[in-house]
Amino acid sequence: MSTVENQLADIEEEIEREVPSDITITEVRYEGPELVIYTRDPKRFARDGDLVRKLASKLRKRITVRPDPASLSRPEEARETVLNVIPDEAGVTDLDFHTDTGEVVIEAEKPGMVIGRHGSTLREITQEVGWTPEVVRTPPIESSTVKNVRNFLKQERNERRDILERIGRQIHREEMSDDQWVRITTLGCCREVGRAAFILSTPETRILIDCGDKPGADDEVPYLQVPEALGSGASSLDAVVLTHAHLDHSALIPLLFKYGYDGPIYTTEPTRDLMGLLTLDYLDVAAKEGRAPPYESEMVREAIKHTIPIEYGNVTDIAPDIKLTLHNAGHILGSSIAHFHVGDGLYNVAFSGDIHYDDTRLFNGAVNEFPRVETLVLESTYGGRNDYQTDQEDSERKLLHTLNNTLERDGKVLIPAFAVGRSQEIMLVLEEAMRNGDIPEVPVHLDGMIWEATAIHTTYPEYLRDDLRERIFHDDSNPFLAEQFNHIDAGEEERQEVADGGPCIILSTSGMMEGGPILSWIEHLGTDPDSTLVFVGYQAQGTLGRRIQNGWDEIPVGNGNGRGRGNTLTLKMDVETVDGFSGHADRQGLENFVRTMNPRPEKVLCVHGDESSTQDLSSALYHEYNMRTFAPKNLETFRFI
């Protein structure tokens, strides 16, 4: 019998000693990081609301209880009972029974009413029918991404269970090494913005954190070929952790499966969905630009199938010697600070991903309180000594002033925006300004993936700022459903109609003008001196957006990417930059994040910023807080124990 089998047998014996004698346990198994207990008496488990909590505390594991399939009532009988238990106001839109796991997936407009106070309604459902309820939200705005991901995972349930069981055995295997050390190897995004990738390794485990591309540089990818990364084979990785879905962090995650990786991806649920949306679009843009895509769409599906979603604050075993906790990073929907607890109190490392320290209209500010952190890997996008952004109120005032000036002369405002995060932030500003009469009520056209990304935001309101979450819970005040917003879905024909029409505001991808429909809008509006191009997000070195910001007015058009040969357009639009809408903390925000961090780390690695930004921030933190700081280059390795 294998070590894991022995371990499970011991756990089953301990569970049987702890539970009342009238509860029969039929199987105990690992599925990913969770211990799953199958029982013939799910109703009895449900009656004792503290039983699972006591077992989890005793065994120090995350526990899920499921009914043994032999004990289940028929779905047709259970359906009516379940609907009778759930209040009508919950707005149940679908019930899906899975006999292999004994779960009933309940899709509802108001999941909180299905859950009940402290889970009371869920327990009542199990008490009545024996099935284990799982609750998901019905998106207020229909999302093809959410629908496709849910349908795909439903189709792949059997294979996914096998994957989770295999992963569970890997996580809970016996440790083989007596050595103790912790190392971080930098594979990208050091003294540069883009291609984020790091390896966290111990004698037992190797974890890849992020795997992105570099905006404006198609041929610069993380150093995956080195021995510390995939040089010894993708299967040598134990896990992948994705901090958030922006392509400079996620674009090459599916490539790992092309190279033979078959392990888990840990991230939040909205990041999983956004990763699917953005990477599929990444392949589509590459094809349109005549570039060979680095992987097939099938690899995106593999990535989704292998993703294990984690909620903020849940401590999760991801290897025999590593526990992972994700915390809100305040950057985009589902973005996370990844905290790793190595060994039994041996060492703690936090990777910030991209962070925004202060509250925004969309998100609560980044979390910076942890049980322990010895080393922090900190983004430095705006870490330069002069990288101080305008505060939010001043930024909004400047934006509204620019909008009014343009609309008064019957011009159009074109805003290149990232589909995820900045677009929704700007939408909230526009909705409030029009509602309050601060700017004229004009159509706001959303092009590219912005509408779909917005639909995903409304699917996961629990990841949004507290007051915004409450507004989304009430459809009559959901700001994203304001009548001014128009989704461009007819392509070039609809764009031409908008260009020929009256004053309006257009939000379009891509945010750095590296492909996407924004280039079509430049062709339509670029020669109109009454219109204005407004940058509200970071423009990386080498991108068309940065070149225009720096004064370029001869713009290559007609070739799909704004960089190769083609016709040239002389830009006559006004060009404005409104700082303060970035999803990144500025220099002050980064310093405040470290200054108020509890506990304060001993070491800080300043990454994800150009050379001067990382060095400036590293120097400032060293002098102000007397901590060891580094501005590493790519391919450096740091040993901490």
Side-chain angles (χ1 to χ4, degrees):
M1 189 182 287
S2 72
T3 305
V4 174
E5 295 292 354
N6 286 333
Q7 187 184 131
L8 286 170
D10 291 343
I11 289 172
E12 187 168 348
E13 285 183 16
E14 188 164 2
I15 291 170
E16 287 175 344
R17 283 196 298 270
E18 292 293 325
V19 302
S21 57
D22 58 342
I23 293 180
T24 302
I25 307 299
T26 56
E27 186 182 10
V28 176
R29 59 192 287 178
Y30 287 125
E31 292 186 13
E34 294 193 338
L35 181 71
V36 181
I37 301 172
Y38 285 87
T39 175
R40 291 201 188 103
D41 306 291
K43 298 179 181 181
R44 180 70 181 81
F45 255 102
R47 279 199 297 275
D48 187 342
D50 286 336
L51 187 53
V52 173
R53 183 182 56 78
K54 290 175 184 173
L55 286 174
S57 177
K58 175 87 173 175
L59 299 171
R60 298 180 65 190
K61 297 188 185 298
R62 287 170 56 185
I63 290 177
T64 296
V65 176
R66 293 188 188 143
D68 185 291
S71 67
L72 292 172
S73 57
R74 291 170 56 232
E76 308 83 62
E77 298 169 357
R79 177 180 298 274
E80 187 175 345
T81 305
V82 170
L83 290 174
N84 285 335
V85 170
I86 299 171
D88 291 341
E89 310 90 84
V92 173
T93 55
D94 190 30
L95 291 180
D96 193 12
F97 291 85
H98 298 277
T99 54
D100 55 337
T101 61
E103 294 172 295
V104 51
V105 179
I106 304 168
E107 186 173 304
E109 294 167 357
K110 298 177 180 177
M113 300 194 73
V114 180
I115 295 168
R117 186 173 175 79
H118 303 306
S120 58
T121 308
L122 296 182
R123 287 195 297 276
E124 186 178 349
I125 290 170
T126 302
Q127 286 177 45
E128 292 291 330
V129 298
W131 292 77
T132 300
E134 178 186 331
V135 188
V136 296
R137 182 180 309 281
T138 306
I141 300 173
E142 186 173 347
S143 164
S144 59
T145 300
V146 172
K147 182 178 180 181
N148 290 340
V149 167
R150 288 177 179 176
N151 285 340
F152 172 68
L153 291 176
K154 178 181 173 181
Q155 293 165 11
E156 301 292 328
R157 278 182 80 95
N158 288 339
E159 185 177 347
R160 184 167 159 78
R161 275 185 79 197
D162 293 341
I163 291 170
L164 289 174
E165 186 172 8
R166 175 170 48 76
I167 290 169
R169 289 171 176 273
Q170 277 290 101
I171 292 170
H172 297 95
R173 69 187 186 273
E174 186 177 359
E175 292 187 45
M176 304 298 291
S177 176
D178 293 328
D179 289 345
Q180 289 190 328
W181 47 259
V182 179
R183 300 192 310 180
I184 292 175
T185 301
T186 59
L187 304 180
C189 85
C190 291
R191 304 193 184 192
E192 63 180 354
V193 174
R195 59 169 171 176
F198 302 90
I199 291 282
L200 173 66
S201 55
T202 71
E204 194 71 39
T205 304
R206 295 170 70 250
I207 310 290
L208 176 66
I209 297 96
D210 291 344
C211 194
D213 74 345
K214 186 171 181 178
D218 301 327
D219 56 345
E220 292 188 46
V221 299
Y223 290 92
L224 297 175
Q225 74 277 15
V226 299
E228 293 91 335
L230 306 188
S232 52
S235 59
S236 65
L237 290 175
D238 289 275
V240 174
V241 175
L242 177 59
T243 60
H244 67 284
H246 275 157
L247 289 172
D248 59 332
H249 293 254
S250 75
L252 300 178
I253 295 277
L255 183 67
L256 303 172
F257 293 89
K258 180 177 179 178
Y259 288 154
Y261 181 64
D262 197 30
I265 299 167
Y266 295 97
T267 193
T268 61
E269 196 169 12
T271 298
R272 177 198 64 194
D273 293 2
L274 290 170
M275 174 186 69
L277 173 69
L278 295 179
T279 52
L280 288 173
D281 183 71
Y282 176 75
L283 297 180
D284 187 47
V285 169
K288 287 177 179 175
E289 294 179 357
R291 293 184 284 113
Y295 49 82
E296 304 298 322
S297 59
E298 178 59 33
M299 298 300 100
V300 177
R301 288 188 284 275
E302 283 297 310
I304 290 170
K305 184 165 45 177
H306 285 75
T307 295
I308 298 177
I310 300 178
E311 293 180 11
Y312 289 151
N314 280 357
V315 181
T316 302
D317 291 304
I318 64 170
D321 60 340
I322 294 182
K323 296 180 187 295
L324 169 68
T325 312
L326 299 181
H327 300 275
N328 171 42
H331 174 61
I332 64 168
L333 182 70
S335 61
S336 304
I337 297 168
H339 178 276
F340 297 90
H341 179 82
V342 182
D344 189 11
L346 178 67
Y347 206 78
N348 294 263
V349 180
F351 287 79
S352 74
D354 291 348
I355 58 171
H356 197 290
Y357 179 62
D358 298 311
D359 292 351
T360 65
R361 284 180 175 268
L362 270 177
F363 305 113
N364 297 323
V367 168
N368 67 346
E369 292 201 7
F370 310 94
R372 276 177 53 190
V373 177
E374 282 76 46
T375 290
L376 170 66
V377 182
L378 177 65
E379 73 123 321
S380 314
T381 312
Y382 289 112
R385 60 172 56 91
N386 296 317
D387 289 342
Y388 294 97
Q389 295 182 40
T390 314
D391 72 33
Q392 188 167 320
E393 287 187 10
D394 286 345
S395 300
E396 293 183 9
R397 248 191 314 271
K398 181 178 178 182
L399 176 63
L400 299 186
H401 177 73
T402 301
L403 294 173
N404 276 320
N405 280 350
T406 306
L407 297 173
E408 282 171 7
R409 61 178 186 252
D410 290 338
K412 298 175 177 65
V413 180
L414 178 59
I415 304 176
F418 299 111
V420 179
R422 287 330 90 209
S423 293
Q424 290 72 38
E425 190 89 20
I426 299 298
M427 288 171 71
L428 293 175
V429 173
L430 298 179
E431 186 271 337
E432 183 182 277
M434 290 184 188
R435 180 162 39 86
N436 293 340
D438 296 328
I439 61 173
E441 286 199 16
V442 297
V444 179
H445 302 288
L446 311 173
D447 204 352
M449 296 182 296
I450 293 172
W451 185 249
E452 179 61 25
T454 302
I456 297 173
H457 279 71
T458 65
T459 306
Y460 298 104
E462 60 271 27
Y463 286 85
L464 302 176
R465 184 170 168 164
D466 301 342
D467 54 345
L468 177 58
R469 180 189 318 150
E470 290 306 311
R471 291 187 68 190
I472 289 174
F473 284 155
H474 302 93
D475 285 346
D476 56 346
S477 61
N478 185 338
F480 297 118
L481 295 174
E483 60 184 14
Q484 294 92 333
F485 296 128
N486 170 54
H487 174 211
I488 298 278
D489 58 2
E492 205 54 46
E493 182 180 335
E494 192 172 355
R495 291 186 194 113
Q496 185 65 60
E497 286 181 14
V498 171
D500 292 340
C504 64
I505 300 166
I506 301 152
L507 271 67
S508 177
T509 54
S510 72
M512 297 186 194
M513 303 187 69
E514 288 293 293
I518 189 67
L519 300 176
S520 173
W521 287 111
I522 284 290
E523 290 190 55
H524 284 298
L525 302 176
T527 58
D528 178 11
D530 291 327
S531 293
T532 304
L533 177 67
V534 184
F535 290 107
V536 295
Y538 181 76
Q539 304 298 308
Q541 291 283 0
T543 62
L544 180 60
R546 175 64 75 94
R547 292 180 181 128
I548 292 174
Q549 262 189 336
N550 289 341
W552 268 36
D553 58 7
E554 297 296 315
I555 311 300
V557 295
N559 58 354
N561 63 14
R563 285 176 298 183
R565 293 181 180 175
N567 299 322
T568 300
L569 175 148
T570 300
L571 194 67
K572 295 182 180 177
M573 305 175 80
D574 283 351
V575 177
E576 297 281 353
T577 296
V578 181
D579 292 323
F581 287 106
S582 173
H584 296 267
D586 68 356
R587 170 63 174 267
Q588 189 65 60
L590 292 167
E591 289 187 4
N592 288 343
F593 179 85
V594 175
R595 178 177 57 82
T596 62
M597 193 167 164
N598 184 23
R600 192 176 291 171
E602 300 164 3
K603 301 182 182 72
V604 179
L605 276 58
C606 296
V607 303
H608 200 284
D610 62 31
E611 189 161 357
S612 63
S613 297
T614 53
Q615 290 178 332
D616 283 355
L617 184 61
S618 175
S619 176
L621 295 177
Y622 168 73
H623 287 294
E624 290 175 36
Y625 306 122
N626 194 29
M627 54 177 54
R628 295 186 65 189
T629 62
F630 307 86
K633 297 178 181 178
N634 290 330
L635 293 178
E636 288 196 56
T637 295
F638 296 80
R639 177 172 176 169
F640 299 111
I641 292 287

